[in-house]
Amino acid sequence: MSRQIEGVKGMRDLLPGEIELWQHVEGLARELFGRFGYGEVRTPMAEDTGLFVRSVGEETDIVGKEMYTFDDKGGRSLSLRPEGTAPAARAYIEHAINNKEPITRWFYMGPMFRYERMKTGRYRQFYQIGAEAYGSKEAAQDAEMMDMVVQFLGALELKDVTLNLNSLGDEACRPAYHAKLVEYLQAHREELCEDCKRRMETNPLRVLDCKNPTCQAVAAAGPNVLEFLCEPCRAHFDDLQRKLTVLGIKYVVNPRMVRGLDYYTRTVFEFIASHPALGTASTVGGGGRYDKMMKGLGGPDVPAVGFAMGLDRLVLLLKESGRTFTSPPDLFVAVADEGSQDAALALASRLRREGLRVDFDTRGGSLKSQMKRADKSGARFTLVLGEAERTSGQAKLKPMAGGDAIPVALDDVAKTLRAARLATAQAGPT
């Protein structure tokens, strides 16, 4: 007996019945991001490994532990993308977009890959919706992007999501903070986990991002990055907070938040959901400003800000809300006799061309079994087609939710179904 092949651990199938939730979220993102002037970009799932080493940071857990990296047949080191910002930046540079327009706004959605410990809403192949804005260094761009996320979460009707905000400073003021942080961490070295002892030497900010409770307690009592901001960084952060207030966006200043990537400067932010379904994995999205990354990748000196949201977690929250987004068939066509199957197939095809959702069991079978299939499909109406209907050109639409059958000419089925759909929509939920 052949061994059954199963899916890769941490990489799952999305099937009808669930995929409609994903399509709903993706559709809302495309529509709303378009209102803000963002165009969709699609980058390859595999990139030169050096892209992530140089942008995300060699000492990050993503690059050091989690990337799916391999040599291709040409001996090149490639990695499946673990995040979307670096590939978008590479595309922006490679296609010289800065020479074509002063401000560029892009969004993306698709799978990312990280070999990490799985928990609620987190997988090794996971999906993100994100956006990047290039060309503006002003706090207004940061605020606009956060406004877009707030409106997106509102369109999804997700509640109890809090915006956390911080500034990491820049190359002018961060060194002083780093020095003070290292001095503090050295004094508490024995309280840190082994990973944080290493991070303390290579990138001390990563200690603040550790999930170990003991390390978190040490970090909480450490120096406050906001107290080290230079005047321009302080003015930028104050301006951002002022603009968020103007937009009516509530936020919490969280000076311990650093995010998990090396490329951020100044603004960083996270949207944190308070929902038991997420357990400890409560961050549904976040991002920040990365004004120096483009130049560091060999591109122009262009400021940028971006964010990404975990689509898996957003869908999980929608599931918990009990809302459904499936679109049941408008009609199920059942066949009363074998001689009517071709006519039924042709009727279903014509109605589909006219924009209706029509289900039809190509296996045929008894009328009783077909009606069971019609009921299971959730179709609004069923039409039984037999010799009598074909001869007379008349049939009946049976409401599956109950009620009297509606006489209808076969040529008028589409018109009658549209009228019934409109009447149902106007009546609203019962």
Side-chain angles (χ1 to χ4, degrees):
M1 183 177 179
S2 299
R3 178 180 68 87
Q4 178 180 330
I5 298 177
E6 298 180 348
V8 177
K9 185 177 181 181
M11 302 183 185
R12 59 194 179 127
D13 303 308
L14 300 173
L15 307 177
E18 180 181 9
I19 197 66
E20 290 82 3
L21 284 167
W22 293 72
Q23 293 167 338
H24 173 71
V25 177
E26 292 166 353
L28 279 178
R30 285 191 170 94
E31 195 278 328
L32 191 138
F33 294 178
R35 285 190 233 157
F36 279 75
Y38 286 72
E40 185 172 4
V41 60
R42 300 187 185 187
T43 62
M45 282 188 280
E47 296 273 3
D48 186 309
T49 299
L51 172 66
F52 303 111
V53 173
R54 290 170 60 182
S55 60
V56 176
E58 190 169 7
E59 297 301 329
T60 61
D61 286 349
I62 291 175
V63 171
K65 299 179 180 180
E66 298 171 357
M67 284 205 307
Y68 283 87
T69 299
F70 58 95
D71 290 340
D72 71 359
K73 292 186 177 181
R76 293 172 288 261
S77 178
L78 303 181
S79 294
L80 297 180
R81 60 187 185 193
E83 56 95 45
T85 294
R90 190 268 311 151
Y92 178 91
I93 295 168
E94 185 171 338
H95 297 282
I97 303 299
N98 64 299
N99 293 330
K100 302 174 184 178
E101 52 196 22
I103 295 180
T104 300
R105 295 180 174 96
W106 283 351
F107 77 89
Y108 61 85
M109 54 184 71
M112 311 292 165
F113 303 84
R114 296 182 194 174
Y115 190 88
E116 60 180 340
R117 183 171 61 86
M118 293 177 293
K119 55 183 177 180
T120 305
R122 178 172 289 174
Y123 302 89
R124 290 172 179 169
Q125 176 176 312
F126 59 100
Y127 295 81
Q128 285 187 343
I129 292 176
E132 317 292 340
Y134 308 100
S136 173
K137 67 180 186 301
E138 282 73 24
Q141 184 60 68
D142 305 23
E144 181 197 70
M145 181 163 281
M146 294 177 208
D147 184 30
M148 188 166 73
V149 178
V150 169
Q151 291 195 34
F152 179 52
L153 293 172
L156 291 172
E157 298 182 32
L158 296 179
K159 306 183 187 306
D160 298 322
V161 181
T162 303
L163 169 60
N164 277 232
L165 193 66
N166 194 21
S167 176
L168 299 180
D170 60 14
E171 68 278 6
C173 54
R174 195 184 298 181
Y177 171 67
H178 271 209
K180 193 68 175 179
L181 179 61
V182 170
E183 178 185 338
Y184 169 78
L185 293 176
Q186 287 285 7
H188 296 270
R189 180 182 179 86
E190 296 310 312
E191 301 171 51
L192 301 176
C193 69
E194 291 303 314
D195 279 342
C196 281
K197 289 177 182 177
R198 174 180 54 81
R199 291 168 181 150
M200 187 176 64
E201 305 296 333
T202 58
N203 192 335
L205 279 180
R206 297 283 70 77
V207 176
L208 305 185
D209 202 42
C210 183
K211 301 302 184 287
N212 182 298
T214 303
C215 296
Q216 288 180 337
V218 172
N224 185 331
V225 65
L226 297 178
E227 296 175 358
F228 291 80
L229 296 183
C230 59
E231 184 53 38
C233 287
R234 167 57 64 186
H236 185 277
F237 192 51
D238 289 345
D239 191 26
L240 172 58
Q241 294 177 76
R242 185 165 49 251
K243 285 176 168 54
L244 291 175
T245 300
V246 168
L247 293 172
I249 296 174
K250 296 180 180 179
Y251 63 90
V252 174
V253 174
N254 180 359
R256 309 302 172 191
M257 180 182 62
V258 297
R259 304 284 293 155
L261 308 174
D262 279 359
Y263 50 62
Y264 290 123
T265 55
R266 292 189 173 175
T267 306
V268 288
F269 60 94
E270 287 186 349
F271 286 87
I272 299 176
S274 176
H275 197 290
L278 293 179
T280 58
S282 57
T283 301
V284 295
R289 180 162 282 283
Y290 51 101
D291 291 342
K292 302 303 177 183
M293 186 214 282
M294 311 298 279
K295 188 175 181 180
L297 290 175
D301 191 6
V302 173
V305 60
F307 79 89
M309 307 194 77
L311 187 49
D312 303 81
R313 295 182 189 177
L314 293 176
V315 169
L316 179 59
L317 290 175
L318 282 180
K319 275 185 180 179
E320 290 294 316
S321 73
R323 297 158 63 200
T324 59
F325 300 92
T326 56
S327 298
D330 296 294
L331 179 68
F332 186 96
V333 178
V335 181
D337 53 68
E338 187 175 342
S340 298
Q341 188 179 53
D342 288 352
L345 182 62
L347 174 62
S349 178
R350 173 168 63 84
L351 295 174
R352 289 163 179 159
R353 287 195 197 98
E354 296 186 49
L356 295 167
R357 297 175 62 90
V358 181
D359 198 358
F360 169 64
D361 194 335
T362 56
R363 301 170 302 172
S366 69
L367 187 57
K368 181 179 180 180
S369 66
Q370 291 180 74
M371 295 305 289
K372 286 183 178 179
R373 168 70 190 234
D375 186 58
K376 186 176 180 180
S377 74
R380 295 184 173 92
F381 293 90
T382 296
L383 184 149
V384 177
L385 188 65
E387 183 178 359
E389 287 77 19
R390 288 189 289 117
T391 302
S392 66
Q394 301 290 320
K396 291 182 178 180
L397 292 173
K398 177 185 177 183
M400 296 302 289
D404 297 332
I406 304 171
V408 63
L410 292 178
D411 290 340
D412 294 335
V413 172
K415 181 172 67 175
T416 304
L417 286 172
R418 286 197 201 94
R421 183 196 287 172
L422 179 61
T424 301
Q426 291 176 340
T430 58

